[in-house]
Structures are given as structure tokens and as C-alpha cells.
Amino acid sequence: MKPKKPNDYFYKAAHQFGLGKETGIDLPNEVTGRVPDREWKRSYWEANKDAWCKTGKKGGSYVERLAYEGCLEGDKMRAGDAINYSIGQGDTLVTPIQMATIYAAISNGGTMYDPSIGKAIISPDGKQITRIEPRSHGKLPISQATLKKMDDALEGVATRGTAAWRFEGWPQDEIPMHAKTGTAEVHGKQTTSWFATYTEDYSIVMTISQGGTGSGASGPAVRNIYDALYGVQEDGSIDARKALLPKPEQGLPKIKSDGTIASPKISGDPVKEMLAQQEAAEEGADTPAGQDQQNQGATVSPPQSENRETRRRGRGRGGRRNRRVRT
């Protein structure tokens, strides 16, 4: 492709969405990812052309033919490059924090904010407080009409698309869920799972290297996070008492005069309650048959005599559990 005035809309839009550069998160060693535009392709060719020209062979093996092709015209943008990029394949590289920033911007109406792990800097005695205010680094380069269509489409993924089976029973009317599943591929490796989601309160993105598909591998964990945040129960109802953080925390912790943080007052610990319920269920399932018989007392008649073959069949898979009587 040798257009005189190439548009390259895909690549321009990617840069405007914040890809190919740092998000501004207050952590060290953030990487930029990669937008494989014409500039990158040219620099990549210059760095590798000598090796390609040395090892390339016109009628050689597949790898040798690729090297030969790269030697001759590895700096040129091809139609296949644009097709690959349109579905996030090829030489594209993104980070989870970049995706979380973009999906949060879609949720809030189009503003991209610098992600931050801190809310404020507080002196040891709690008297001096410097809040870390949200900082914007741009707006999504799309109209509100386009933004609305994207929002509707992502909601459809969660309600009737590839993520619907992971959000079965979700209270969509009360807490609208939006999602996008993804599967990244690298030659010679297993597929990598991507799952990006957002509500009006949170943006959660999970990726599992070589973990499989987006909804298959990351979907259950993301659903569990949302269930815990909002207190969503198995039947789809919302128990506000068990919600860990139904709205993002706006306040700051109180600092005591000795520098320790005052613990918040809560009615109970949802995590401890859940673990206690699981332990109780496991103890009930693992109770020995002899102990069950002791608990039954005189209310259960002794077993009838049976021949050896009947006893053997009765002790098959699930046989013992089926004979229990719980009190």
C-alpha cells in the first residue's frame, strides 16, 4: 500500500483513545503497549532488516520466506495489517489499566482520567490532608450519539451476547452491566483471556495469561467481584447488608492521635459470614455415617438384613450420602 495521503483512521483513533502511551497511574514502571502504525512498522523494519535479509530465502521454509518478505518490504503497511488491527490482533499490545481507563471513560460520558491508587496523603497525626484530585488526560474522540451506541452494544454483550451466561440472573434493571469478552493469541502459546466490564460505579478488567477465553476463564472471577461489591445473591436479589462497597468510597479514614487508623463500624463481616456458611455446609457433608446414626436415635429403624451383593451396590458412588438422615 502506497497511498499518497493515507488516512489511517484506526491508528489515529487508537492514539486518541490513549493507547500506545502511559495512562498516568501513580505506580512505577508502567508500559505503553503498542499501536502498530506506519511509524512503528518503519522503526521495526529498520531494527530487523539486516537479520531478515541475511536469513531470508525466496523458496525456503515458511520462516525463511517470511524473513525474505520482511527484508524486501517489511516497512510497508498492508491491507492485512489494517484487518488484523481492526480486531485487535497482529502486533497490537495493550495493558489492562489502559482498557480499564477506556471503559471507565465510556461509562462516565467520555472523559479519560488518570487512574490512581491513592485518594489522599495524610500526615501521621491526621491533621494535614492533601487530597489527590482526579485528573483528566483527554476526551474520547467520539460523539455522544456514537457513545450511546457503544454503551448499548456493550450492554447487549452482558445480556444476550458472549458474556450473558456469566451474568445469568444479574439484576440488570437495578444495576446495568456492560461487558466485552476477548481472546488474545500469541504464536506457540495458549490463548489469553480478556474480560472488560463496567457499571455506573466501577470498571473492572481482568486478563489471565494463557488462561483461555474471556468469558470462560475471567468471567467467573469478575462476576464474583461484582456480587461482593453490590451484595448480589444467587437468586439475583440484592442484599444491601452483604454489599461490600455498593458505591465508591468518598470519605477518608479517621486518624487517631497515636497515628493508628480508626476501624470503620460495620454490622458484620460478610467474608467471615460466607466462610462460616461454607464450613458449616462442608461439615454437614463430611459427617461420618456412624455419627449420623447416633444422632438419629430411636426415630430411625435399624437397617434390614441384606445380602452381600446388595450391600456392595449400596456402597457405590453416592450410596452412603443417599442414606443419611440429617437432624
Side-chain angles (χ1 to χ4, degrees):
M1 295 177 65
K2 298 180 180 179
K4 295 181 178 179
K5 295 181 179 180
N7 189 350
D8 290 345
Y9 173 78
F10 281 149
Y11 306 105
K12 291 179 180 178
H15 286 293
Q16 291 171 334
F17 268 74
L19 297 180
K21 59 184 178 182
E22 298 177 0
T23 63
I25 188 171
D26 46 352
L27 288 173
N29 304 321
E30 182 183 8
V31 296
T32 62
R34 178 195 300 153
V35 176
D37 52 16
R38 292 179 188 275
E39 182 180 354
W40 174 84
K41 188 146 192 176
R42 178 76 183 183
S43 63
Y44 188 71
W45 174 74
E46 290 178 349
N48 291 278
K49 62 179 181 179
D50 291 341
W52 287 339
C53 293
K54 183 178 181 180
T55 60
K57 188 176 181 181
K58 185 175 183 180
S61 65
Y62 175 70
V63 175
E64 290 173 331
R65 293 199 304 272
L66 283 180
Y68 179 79
E69 182 180 291
C71 171
L72 294 180
E73 49 187 26
D75 60 332
K76 294 179 174 60
M77 184 68 69
R78 299 185 173 198
D81 295 319
I83 294 173
N84 268 342
Y85 188 72
S86 69
I87 58 172
Q89 299 281 10
D91 295 302
T92 306
L93 290 177
V94 299
T95 67
I97 195 63
Q98 287 175 334
M99 291 292 98
T101 301
I102 292 173
Y103 280 96
I106 296 174
S107 173
N108 68 35
T111 302
M112 293 182 289
Y113 288 100
D114 296 356
S116 175
I117 62 170
K119 189 176 292 292
I121 300 173
I122 306 176
S123 63
D125 58 6
K127 295 181 179 180
Q128 296 181 359
I129 300 176
T130 304
R131 286 186 173 270
I132 302 174
E133 300 295 340
R135 294 188 303 176
S136 169
H137 60 261
K139 298 278 292 185
L140 296 180
I142 53 179
S143 66
Q144 288 300 308
T146 300
L147 188 63
K148 178 64 168 59
K149 291 179 180 179
M150 292 175 65
D151 187 78
D152 291 343
L154 293 168
E155 183 175 5
V157 175
T159 57
R160 59 185 183 277
T162 54
W165 67 302
R166 289 307 186 191
F167 286 105
E168 184 177 357
W170 179 260
Q172 188 70 13
D173 292 338
E174 292 85 358
I175 310 171
M177 178 63 65
H178 306 75
K180 180 66 182 77
T181 61
T183 304
E185 297 175 328
V186 177
H187 178 67
K189 296 183 179 181
Q190 297 296 321
T191 55
T192 288
S193 169
W194 277 89
F195 198 49
T197 61
Y198 67 86
T199 64
E200 65 176 4
D201 306 300
Y202 298 102
S203 172
I204 298 176
V205 174
M206 178 172 288
T207 180
I208 302 177
S209 178
Q210 301 191 69
T213 63
S215 60
S218 299
V222 172
R223 172 63 189 266
N224 288 340
I225 293 172
Y226 279 115
D227 285 348
L229 286 172
Y230 290 108
V232 178
Q233 306 304 295
E234 290 187 3
D235 61 358
S237 63
I238 301 174
D239 190 340
R241 298 171 300 174
K242 296 183 178 180
L244 296 181
L245 205 63
K247 292 292 182 181
E249 181 60 54
Q250 299 296 324
L252 296 174
K254 294 182 179 180
I255 309 297
K256 299 180 180 179
S257 58
D258 61 357
T260 59
I261 299 176
S263 301
K265 294 181 180 180
I266 56 177
S267 58
D269 190 331
V271 176
K272 289 183 178 180
E273 293 177 2
M274 179 184 67
L275 293 176
Q277 293 174 358
Q278 291 178 350
E279 290 177 0
E282 292 174 358
E283 289 177 0
D286 296 335
T287 302
Q291 183 175 341
D292 276 345
Q293 293 175 359
Q294 293 177 4
N295 293 337
Q296 294 166 16
T299 61
V300 179
S301 301
Q304 301 295 325
S305 60
E306 53 186 357
N307 61 34
R308 187 174 182 180
E309 184 63 22
T310 302
R311 290 197 301 271
R312 186 179 296 113
R313 290 198 301 269
R315 292 174 182 172
R317 184 176 180 181
R320 176 179 294 179
R321 178 173 295 179
N322 292 337
R323 292 198 302 273
R324 291 179 183 168
V325 178
R326 300 188 181 185
T327 58

